[in-house]
Amino acid sequence: MNKMFFKILVLLMSLSLIGIILVQVYWFNTSFQNNDEQFKYHVKQVIGNVADKLQQQEAFTFIDKYNKFKDSTGKVPQKDDLLEFYYIQKNHETNTTTVYSSSIKSEDYDISSTFFGKKLDSVKIKSFNSKRVTEVYNNNKIDNSGIQQKLVPDVKIEKSGNLDVLANAQFEMFFKDIASTMPLQERVTKEALQKLLKMQLEEYGVNTKFEFGIYSNGLATKVKSDGFRYDKNSTYSIPIFSDNEGNNKYQLLVSFPHKKKFLLTELMGITLLSIIFTLIIIIAYTSALNQLIRQRHISEIKSDFINNMTHEFKTPIATINLALDAIKNPKIIEDKEKVFKYLQMIKDENKRMHAQVENVLRISKLEKKELDISKEPTNIQEVIDDAIEHVGLILEDRQGSITKHFNAVRTSVLLNEVHFINVIVNILENAIKYSPNIPKIEIFTENVKDFLIIKVKDNGVGMSKIAQKRVFEKFYREHTGDLHDVKGHGLGLAYVKRIIDDHNGQIFVESEKGKGSTFIIKIPLIN
């Protein structure tokens, strides 16, 4: 994959993911604000209804008292004619005269102020009635001077009834004047107000804790809930008990201490789904990006592996061809010593190619779990000695040395001797290969509780912190800078890790650039 295309692809995927997250945040914020506005609307409806009901209940209380008084008193009310008018219509075709009359009368009831529990002058309550009369006269009974006295109409229709509009208006003015002189506690109780608020809030679906209080001219009164605290963001108010001039002495305040929690709870279900889906997208994106990076890295490593493998095979093949050509020479074929020398070279190069193929096959078999690893009780120090012999010629060629510090008392472990020798050989070969100067290697053994610890210390180039974390990965090789003579495929230590894991052991590396490396193997002892 083109490097620039890969970067653009990653950038676009990242921008898309960020966009999705921002859209989710915007949606949540908008939904929360909409819920807040809806909550505010419902609460205003509730407190408006409560204010109206408080006024109505107070009016009903006065009406009930007034009706009981009017029904129980034996006094005859004083009657006044407030308004009376006539309308006369003559019909020449029927030779009749129709007289329409209408009158409004009031009945005044004197009520002692003690009836309302107040030390005021006595007050009057008016009841309004209307009377409508239609009289039809024959014109033969009426002279030219107008309607005669004591004339009896031919038809007379009377209608009467209460004028509720006037009565209600007059009564409202009356009870408001009386109520304005009463203390607040007599007009409404804390319990009644709480019950009314709760009923109205439940009706509008506002099922969260609320606190309330009534303020008089900006000062708190005793009519309030125990936990009421004024909060600008969660308190709503409305005037109550207006007087005849439209003034409002009292304010009803309702606060919701758990308002945010209530609004979030309403969004919780859809928000959780949104978060889950967003997390799935993030995980999928991260996984896909990681796979892309890994695949790209593996592609580069495989290319490097093929190049190295080609080089590793090219050299021994060339050497074998040269040796064969030399043997064909008539002068050389007669010299048995030189023939044996070239035959040995062919054998060594062939062995070298075989070893490379074996490394690849071992890893392949390990991954497919086809490698037969049978374990037997074995003395680990003997295994280490065998491994040292395998690298003896290479070490001798580099004029290096291996120093043994066998401090372990218990040395018997359950392992596969062949594979474990390969483990130690791989570590020793790396120690020799990555030592630019004369290799000096130290091998330590010791017992720690029920484990055998093996340490292989070298004086090589060392490795970085990143390399220490990845050194046991297949195909991984750290860049060696100017050290171009180091060849390999990144398979040896991957093989080592798999074998040690199969022996229920552990392997670590401690290293510092320019100061060598120490490989530590931890294997359980036989009890």
Side-chain angles (χ1 to χ4, degrees):
M1 185 184 292
N2 183 275
K3 193 172 183 180
M4 182 58 68
F5 177 75
F6 179 77
K7 286 183 178 179
I8 292 171
L9 183 63
V10 171
L11 178 63
L12 290 175
M13 289 171 66
S14 301
L15 288 175
S16 299
L17 180 60
I18 292 168
I20 290 170
I21 294 171
L22 289 177
V23 167
Q24 294 291 332
V25 172
Y26 173 78
W27 170 84
F28 178 81
N29 188 50
T30 303
S31 298
F32 186 83
Q33 288 178 355
N34 290 340
N35 276 18
D36 189 29
E37 288 297 320
Q38 191 176 23
F39 180 86
K40 183 179 179 181
Y41 172 77
H42 285 163
V43 169
K44 285 190 174 182
Q45 290 287 318
V46 166
I47 60 177
N49 291 346
V50 168
D52 292 341
K53 286 184 180 293
L54 287 175
Q55 197 96 13
Q56 290 171 6
Q57 286 177 359
E58 189 174 50
F60 291 154
T61 302
F62 276 93
I63 289 171
D64 187 54
K65 287 184 178 181
Y66 163 63
N67 288 333
K68 287 179 180 178
F69 173 80
K70 190 170 70 171
D71 293 340
S72 62
T73 182
K75 297 180 180 179
V76 178
Q78 181 181 348
K79 297 184 179 181
D80 294 324
D81 290 332
L82 299 180
L83 180 65
E84 188 171 3
F85 65 90
Y86 292 89
Y87 174 72
I88 300 172
Q89 181 180 7
K90 290 183 178 182
N91 191 327
H92 295 288
E93 292 181 2
T94 60
N95 198 29
T96 59
T97 298
T98 303
V99 179
Y100 300 96
S101 65
S102 179
S103 62
I104 299 176
K105 299 180 181 295
S106 71
E107 296 179 350
D108 297 340
Y109 293 89
D110 288 324
I111 300 178
S112 173
S113 61
T114 56
F115 174 73
F116 299 102
K118 294 291 161 192
K119 295 180 180 180
L120 300 172
D121 295 335
S122 62
V123 294
K124 290 183 178 182
I125 297 180
K126 293 180 180 292
S127 177
F128 297 93
N129 294 291
S130 67
K131 184 177 181 182
R132 299 180 299 282
V133 180
T134 302
E135 297 175 337
V136 181
Y137 295 90
N138 192 323
N139 282 337
N140 295 328
K141 299 179 181 180
I142 304 174
D143 60 16
N144 293 330
S145 61
I147 300 174
Q148 298 295 319
Q149 298 293 328
K150 296 182 181 179
L151 284 177
V152 178
D154 296 298
V155 179
K156 185 175 183 180
I157 302 171
E158 292 187 6
K159 292 182 179 179
S160 62
N162 293 329
L163 290 177
D164 292 335
V165 175
L166 287 176
N168 290 342
Q170 191 275 339
F171 185 82
E172 184 177 353
M173 294 175 64
F174 157 72
F175 95 77
K176 282 187 177 181
D177 285 339
I178 296 295
S180 62
T181 64
M182 297 171 64
L184 179 64
Q185 289 85 344
E186 292 185 21
R187 302 182 73 176
V188 62
T189 63
K190 179 174 76 173
E191 292 75 15
L193 181 55
Q194 183 170 12
K195 183 179 179 181
L196 189 57
L197 280 168
K198 184 178 180 181
M199 182 179 67
Q200 287 291 315
L201 287 170
E202 287 178 353
E203 186 177 329
Y204 278 84
V206 183
N207 300 312
T208 184
K209 183 181 179 182
F210 68 92
E211 304 290 346
F212 64 90
I214 295 179
Y215 276 50
S216 174
N217 295 324
L219 299 175
T221 66
K222 292 182 179 180
V223 181
K224 63 176 182 177
S225 58
D226 297 333
F228 178 76
R229 298 288 184 276
Y230 179 79
D231 179 10
K232 183 180 178 181
N233 296 321
S234 60
T235 301
Y236 304 87
S237 64
I238 194 171
I240 57 172
F241 297 136
S242 58
D243 59 22
N244 287 316
E245 286 74 34
N247 299 321
N248 300 102
K249 179 181 177 182
Y250 299 108
Q251 290 274 337
L252 170 63
L253 287 84
V254 182
S255 68
F256 300 88
H258 302 151
K259 174 186 169 183
K260 283 188 177 179
K261 184 179 178 182
F262 174 71
L263 294 177
L264 287 172
T265 302
E266 289 192 328
L267 291 172
M268 192 60 68
I270 192 70
T271 302
L272 279 175
L273 284 175
S274 176
I275 290 170
I276 289 169
F277 291 142
T278 303
L279 284 174
I280 290 172
I281 292 171
I282 290 172
I283 292 168
Y285 167 77
T286 307
S287 177
L289 184 60
N290 185 52
Q291 288 298 321
L292 278 173
I293 293 171
R294 283 180 65 86
Q295 288 299 322
R296 189 167 180 272
H297 184 62
I298 287 170
S299 178
E300 291 174 355
I301 288 172
K302 284 184 176 179
S303 297
D304 187 45
F305 167 75
I306 291 168
N307 292 334
N308 282 331
M309 201 68 170
T310 303
H311 177 83
E312 289 289 338
F313 282 136
K314 187 178 179 180
T315 303
I317 288 170
T319 303
I320 290 169
N321 285 333
L322 287 171
L324 289 171
D325 288 340
I327 292 172
K328 288 178 183 179
N329 191 321
K331 292 181 181 180
I332 299 296
I333 201 167
E334 298 294 335
D335 190 342
K336 289 185 178 182
E337 187 177 342
K338 286 186 178 181
V339 169
F340 283 127
K341 179 183 177 182
Y342 286 124
L343 288 173
Q344 186 62 43
M345 286 175 63
I346 292 169
K347 184 179 180 181
D348 290 341
E349 293 303 324
N350 184 61
K351 186 178 179 182
R352 181 179 171 188
M353 286 193 293
H354 185 263
Q356 298 298 340
V357 172
E358 279 297 312
N359 265 338
V360 177
L361 290 176
R362 282 196 200 110
I363 291 294
S364 178
K365 286 183 178 180
L366 274 174
E367 288 182 343
K368 294 177 181 177
K369 297 184 179 178
E370 294 176 357
L371 200 62
D372 182 28
I373 302 179
S374 57
K375 305 180 187 73
E376 295 178 356
T378 309
N379 187 323
I380 195 69
Q381 292 179 170
E382 292 178 1
V383 171
I384 294 171
D385 287 333
D386 287 342
I388 291 171
E389 283 184 22
H390 277 74
V391 298
L393 291 175
I394 304 172
L395 192 65
E396 187 180 331
D397 184 59
R398 293 285 308 278
Q399 299 178 347
S401 62
I402 295 178
T403 306
K404 296 183 290 186
H405 305 277
F406 290 166
N407 301 318
V409 178
R410 299 166 62 192
T411 59
S412 185
V413 294
L414 194 65
L415 51 78
N416 182 286
E417 187 174 346
V418 174
H419 287 297
F420 217 85
I421 288 173
N422 287 335
V423 165
I424 305 299
V425 167
N426 268 291
I427 294 172
L428 292 175
E429 282 182 344
N430 275 348
I432 296 167
K433 183 165 47 175
Y434 287 96
S435 296
N437 301 317
I438 296 173
K440 291 183 179 179
I441 303 169
E442 293 182 87
I443 301 177
F444 301 83
T445 63
E446 61 179 300
N447 293 129
V448 177
K449 295 184 179 178
D450 290 330
F451 292 91
L452 179 75
I453 308 297
I454 304 168
K455 294 181 182 179
V456 180
K457 184 179 180 182
D458 63 55
N459 62 335
V461 293
M463 62 184 82
S464 65
K465 296 291 184 184
I466 296 173
Q468 290 176 49
K469 292 179 181 178
R470 302 189 58 193
V471 72
F472 299 108
E473 292 179 17
K474 189 171 67 168
F475 298 121
Y476 180 79
R477 294 186 69 232
E478 188 179 21
H479 179 61
T480 54
D482 296 330
L483 199 61
H484 299 297
D485 58 332
V486 177
K487 301 296 178 183
H489 315 104
L491 295 174
L493 290 178
Y495 166 75
V496 166
K497 178 77 166 61
R498 294 295 295 270
I499 295 297
I500 291 175
D501 286 346
D502 193 73
H503 283 76
N504 300 317
Q506 294 172 287
I507 183 166
F508 315 94
V509 62
E510 294 176 354
S511 184
E512 190 175 342
K513 274 285 189 181
K515 295 185 178 180
S517 304
T518 302
F519 284 85
I520 304 166
I521 300 171
K522 184 178 179 183
I523 298 292
L525 291 161
I526 296 175
N527 291 326

